[in-house]
């Protein structure tokens, strides 16, 4: 039994509802089924169905919903005995849930996300993309409840097309990848990775001139349509093609630097571990390691992390889902999210998993995840979750878990000015704990936290020591993202526009838009304020309101800096009073608690 939503209608048993044994041709029958599919096995209250089906619900709308559900049950379980409980479309509390994974969209997602040897992966990807018969939920294009799922599935389909091409390249089938990629970039010209794959496929098909022509076309298209320059991946590929870099040839790259060992090990693991659950759980360990590489690795880790959570939830295994969510204990130093929608989805999944868990360590990891992914939130829930996670961790003999929860507490210790000393204590404990138990990534985090705190105290001798310690660990353990923060600190010490611009160049490949957006203009604005110059006109991104004098900045490491800029920019007595009250707890500090830029002594703004 299959239900399809990857086409113009909702399908039943692989056929359109127009041929179902029960008359489901009514649009509201199909809407109920689609709405339950969107819920992905979760209960949808009957009143929510009413509100989603009608703009102005008529009298008897709830009874009508029950009638629609009864018809659906007869269609999808025609052999169910009278009065026997439904197995697929079940009543639960105040609503209904569809308990089946035999849905085209689910089959497609499994095909896209199931790891394996490249031959099998290519077959699965082609089968998955072949399930599409048109836009997802096309019949419900104007329904608010379908928008997010339509967008998610559409993005996943585009990614699947690129995965097919990448797998073909991995198998040495470059010429087969070219036609589909050419059509793909024509239809979706903003997808830089598709341009990269097309150029690489042409190059591996011994068409170097065509590959360079594609990269020129990509540059012209991106500049002409979007007004942006190609990203570093396309720029680097053009250089590599011009120099005929050996790693562009898959046959050569496989034997370089241990690639053969990695490939053989991956194949052996895939043969030995046949279970989906084991693969999903193992994936999170790889994503943790991938995230600390920065750049494309960090972006890919974020994307695949959400996919792993969704895959675990699809299996209906609450323990697995909780472990997958909590296992992604990647140290986090910046207090603004790189992808707010993705972070919100992770928080929602953690909140769903939390009631199913009474094991202290799993609960602590879920709570720490909620706190970390709620960075910048004004909600007290995030801080409460962090403190509860820390309390649970302190009762367990698990140093890695304690370090994870301390990271969460740090992330929620920016809700008011003057908390740099508290953050310094967290950093000091992380360093001591990590040195004792060889948790080198958290040791780096502890040094960076203490660096930030030292900047708030204008103790640059201490900050220099922390930066040097973090850099030494990063060099030893290949942690490239650390240099982003230590180089920005060096720019703060130098305090010239040129040094800030040089530091900003490191952000191009860092994969941290939550950090990079508007940061260079903000640093230059802070420099102008400190030197008595006018604040320059620029795109300040998320910092724009406070550069121009607005109240109530969000919690974060730039909290004092935002308030100082507001105090500098406004002439409103009421807003000045608010700024003074907000900054007063940090009167003896500098507006430099980010460790990236400084507005000098906070007393100057009081």
């Amino acid at each position: 039994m299959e239900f399809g939503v990857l086409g113009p209608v909702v399908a039943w048993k692989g056929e359109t509802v127009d041929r179902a044994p029960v008359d489901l041709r009514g649009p509201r029958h199909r809407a109920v089924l689609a709405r339950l599919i969107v819920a992905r096995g979760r209960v949808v209250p009957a009143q929510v169905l009413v509100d989603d089906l009608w703009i102005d619900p008529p009298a008897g709308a709830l009874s009508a919903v029950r009638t629609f559900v009864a018809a659906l049950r007869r269609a999808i379980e025609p052999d169910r005995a009278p009065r026997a409980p439904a197995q697929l479309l079940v009543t639960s509390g105040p609503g209904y849930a569809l308990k089946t994974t035999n849905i085209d969209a689910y089959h497609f997602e499994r095909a896209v996300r199931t790891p394996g040897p490249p031959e099998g992966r290519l077959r699965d990807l082609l089968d998955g993309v072949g399930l599409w018969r048109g836009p997802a939920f096309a019949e419900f294009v104007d329904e608010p409840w379908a928008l997010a799922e339509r967008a998610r599935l559409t993005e996943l389909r585009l990614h699947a097309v690129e995965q097919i091409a990448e797998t073909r390249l991995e198998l040495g089938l470059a010429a087969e990848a070219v036609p589909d990629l050419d059509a793909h970039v024509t239809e979706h010209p903003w997808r830089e990775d598709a341009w990269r794959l097309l150029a690489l496929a042409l190059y591996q098909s011994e068409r170097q001139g065509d590959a360079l022509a594609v990269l020129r076309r990509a540059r012209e298209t991106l500049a002409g349509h979007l007004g942006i320059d190609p990203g570093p991946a396309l720029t680097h590929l053009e250089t590599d093609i011009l120099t005929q870099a050996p790693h562009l040839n898959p046959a050569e790259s496989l034997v370089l630097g241990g690639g053969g060992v990695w490939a053989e090990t991956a194949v052996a693991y895939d043969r030995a571990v046949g279970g989906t659950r084991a693969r999903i759980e193992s994936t999170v360990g790889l994503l943790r390691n991938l995230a600390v590489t920065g750049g494309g690795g960090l972006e890919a880790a974020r994307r695949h992390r959400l996919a792993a959570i969704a895959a675990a939830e699809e299996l209906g295994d609450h323990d697995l889902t909780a472990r997958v969510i909590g296992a992604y204990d990647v140290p986090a130093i910046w207090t603004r999210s790189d992808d707010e929608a993705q972070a919100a989805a992770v928080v929602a999944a953690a909140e769903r998993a939390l009631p199913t868990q009474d094991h202290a360590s799993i609960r602590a990891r879920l709570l720490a995840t909620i706190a970390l992914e709620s960075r910048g939130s004004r909600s007290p829930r995030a801080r409460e979750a962090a403190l509860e996670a820390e309390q649970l961790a302190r009762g367990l003999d698990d140093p890695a878990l304690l370090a994870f929860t301390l990271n969460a507490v740090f992330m929620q210790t920016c809700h008011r000015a003057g908390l740099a000393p508290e953050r310094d204590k967290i950093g000091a404990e992380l360093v001591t704990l990590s040195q004792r138990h060889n948790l080198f990534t958290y040791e780096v985090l502890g040094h960076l936290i203490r660096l930030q705190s030292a900047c708030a105290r204008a103790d640059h001798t201490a900050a220099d020591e922390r930066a040097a310690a973090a850099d030494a660990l990063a060099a030893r353990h290949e942690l490239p993202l650390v240099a982003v923060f230590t180089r920005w600190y060096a720019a703060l010490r130098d305090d010239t526009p040129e040094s800030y611009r040089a530091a900003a160049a490191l952000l191009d490949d860092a994969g941290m838009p939550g950090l990079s957006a508007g940061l260079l203009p903000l640093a230059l604005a802070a420099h102008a304020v400190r030197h008595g110059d006018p604040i320059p006109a620029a795109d300040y991104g998320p910092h724009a309101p406070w550069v121009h004098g607005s109240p109530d900045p969000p919690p974060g490491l730039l909290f004092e800096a935002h308030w100082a800029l507001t105090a500098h920019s406004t002439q409103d007595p009421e807003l000045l009073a608010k700024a003074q009250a907000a900054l007063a707890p940090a009167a003896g500090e500098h507006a430099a608690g980010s460790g990236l830029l400084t507005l000098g002594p906070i007393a100057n703004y009081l």
Side-chain angles (χ1 to χ4, degrees), residues 27-344:
R28 290 199 170 93
H29 287 88
R30 298 196 295 273
V32 169
L33 180 56
R35 181 63 182 84
L36 293 171
I37 289 172
V38 166
R40 304 177 70 82
R42 295 185 291 276
V43 174
V44 180
Q47 187 58 52
V48 171
L49 290 172
V50 168
D51 294 339
D52 287 341
L53 290 176
W54 290 277
I55 296 174
D56 184 15
L62 278 173
S63 296
V65 165
R66 296 188 190 102
T67 301
F68 299 151
V69 169
L72 287 171
R73 281 175 173 156
R74 290 195 297 275
I76 65 180
E77 292 187 82
D79 300 325
R80 181 168 56 91
R83 297 187 179 83
Q87 299 298 312
L88 298 179
L89 205 172
V90 302
T91 301
S92 179
Y96 307 97
L98 188 62
K99 298 295 185 181
T100 178
T101 57
N102 267 344
I103 296 170
D104 281 354
Y106 293 2
H107 292 316
F108 163 67
E109 289 188 60
R110 280 194 292 273
V112 172
R113 290 170 173 157
T114 300
E119 294 88 351
R121 190 165 71 247
L122 178 60
R123 183 176 57 253
D124 290 343
L125 286 166
L126 290 170
D127 290 345
V129 171
L131 292 170
W132 284 74
R133 300 184 298 280
F137 293 96
E139 190 178 357
F140 310 103
V141 64
D142 296 322
E143 298 295 343
W145 49 264
L147 290 177
E149 185 69 356
R150 277 171 49 82
R152 189 182 70 84
L153 286 170
T154 300
E155 173 61 28
L156 197 59
R157 180 177 181 271
L158 298 179
H159 178 59
V161 172
E162 291 157 14
Q163 275 190 288
I164 288 171
E166 197 142 22
T167 307
R168 280 174 169 156
L169 295 181
E170 189 179 348
L171 290 168
L173 305 174
E176 291 185 20
V178 170
D180 288 346
L181 281 170
D182 203 9
H184 187 55
V185 298
T186 300
E187 190 174 354
H188 308 286
W190 62 89
R191 295 186 72 85
E192 291 193 39
D193 203 44
W195 287 107
R196 178 188 67 81
L197 288 166
L198 176 57
L200 186 56
L202 287 165
Y203 179 81
Q204 292 182 3
S205 303
E206 299 183 355
R207 297 168 61 183
Q208 181 175 350
D210 290 338
L212 292 170
V214 159
L215 291 172
R216 285 194 296 273
R217 182 156 58 103
R219 186 184 303 109
E220 292 166 1
T221 302
L222 292 169
H225 290 193
L226 301 178
I228 61 173
D229 293 326
L234 290 181
T235 304
H236 294 160
L237 178 59
E238 186 170 28
T239 302
D240 289 343
I241 288 175
L242 287 168
T243 59
Q244 298 186 349
H247 71 264
L248 296 183
N249 185 322
E252 294 178 25
S253 65
L254 187 62
V255 298
L256 294 176
V261 174
W262 173 268
E264 290 176 14
T265 303
V267 171
Y269 178 85
D270 193 68
R271 287 179 186 146
V273 179
T276 301
R277 286 168 171 78
R279 286 173 173 168
I280 291 172
E281 204 156 1
S282 298
T283 296
V284 182
L286 289 172
L287 295 180
R288 275 198 319 241
N289 295 333
L290 186 62
V292 297
T293 65
L298 179 56
E299 292 167 352
R302 285 198 297 266
R303 182 174 67 249
H304 293 305
R305 178 194 184 190
L306 200 55
I309 293 171
E313 285 194 307
E314 278 183 25
L315 292 173
D317 187 329
H318 298 306
D319 289 340
L320 173 66
T321 301
R323 292 197 303 273
V324 166
I325 294 169
Y328 190 85
D329 50 359
V330 177
I333 184 66
W334 194 241
T335 49
R336 182 178 178 84
S337 176
D338 291 317
D339 186 333
E340 293 183 358
Q342 191 249 28

Side-chain angles (χ1 to χ4, degrees), residues 517-544:
L519 182 60
L520 176 58
L522 184 70
L524 297 177
H527 181 271
V529 169
R530 291 188 65 226
H531 291 81
D533 297 327
I535 294 178
D539 179 6
Y540 289 98
H543 312 294

